[in-house]
Amino acid sequence: MGTWDIGPFDSDTAADFSYRVDEAHAEKKAEVLRAAFREVTATGDDYLDSDLAVEAIASAALVAAQCPGGEPVTTAYGPKEPLPELPAELRPLAVAALDRVLEPDSELLELWEESDGEEWKAGIRKLRAVLAGA
């Protein structure tokens, strides 16, 4: 995992995902994000792969950026193309995906707990709060 900081786009996987979002036609961008959330929540009690979790977190950050109190995605590793207005129905999907990422059988959670897990978890919880409050 090529990760350099705790932000939603601070890894190779998230940067690659941003490229996928950019490559999608404007009317399909919301579906790219929805698919990332569904892949994570569909794992149920199975072990959650870190790459899926990273993509869901990046997607959640893009949705949260359009919510009241959300922070804009300004990193060079985020999508370069502007996103259209995203449907509000993505917000609860994002919350569910973030909840799943923080469950014990999450590879990404395990990896972060080996280093700076508390600061990373605080960032995920902040992102979740913006989405849940919108």
Side-chain angles (χ1 to χ4, degrees):
M1 175 169 77
T3 301
W4 50 87
D5 208 346
I6 63 169
F9 294 94
D10 294 339
S11 71
D12 292 333
T13 300
D16 290 345
F17 179 74
S18 293
Y19 180 76
R20 260 196 0 251
V21 172
D22 276 338
E23 289 298 302
H25 291 283
E27 66 276 2
K28 297 289 185 185
K29 290 184 188 292
E31 189 53 41
V32 172
L33 306 183
R34 183 179 289 109
F37 300 142
R38 286 188 177 146
E39 283 189 74
V40 165
T41 57
T43 61
D45 292 334
D46 293 338
Y47 194 68
L48 175 59
D49 179 79
S50 66
D51 287 346
L52 295 178
V54 165
E55 290 180 1
I57 293 167
S59 296
L62 294 172
V63 174
Q66 294 186 1
C67 295
E71 295 181 20
V73 175
T74 58
T75 177
Y77 301 103
K80 310 290 185 261
E81 301 296 319
L83 287 152
E85 182 74 23
L86 297 170
E89 69 190 38
L90 290 178
R91 295 170 186 171
L93 298 175
V95 168
L98 293 176
D99 288 344
R100 177 66 183 90
V101 167
L102 292 176
E103 289 180 2
D105 55 349
S106 167
E107 180 183 23
L108 189 61
L109 177 64
E110 288 176 9
L111 291 169
W112 277 109
E113 286 183 335
E114 292 174 4
S115 60
D116 206 2
E118 290 309 310
E119 189 176 355
W120 174 80
K121 285 191 277 188
I124 300 300
R125 288 186 192 112
K126 181 179 176 185
L127 190 59
R128 186 196 185 285
V130 168
L131 291 158

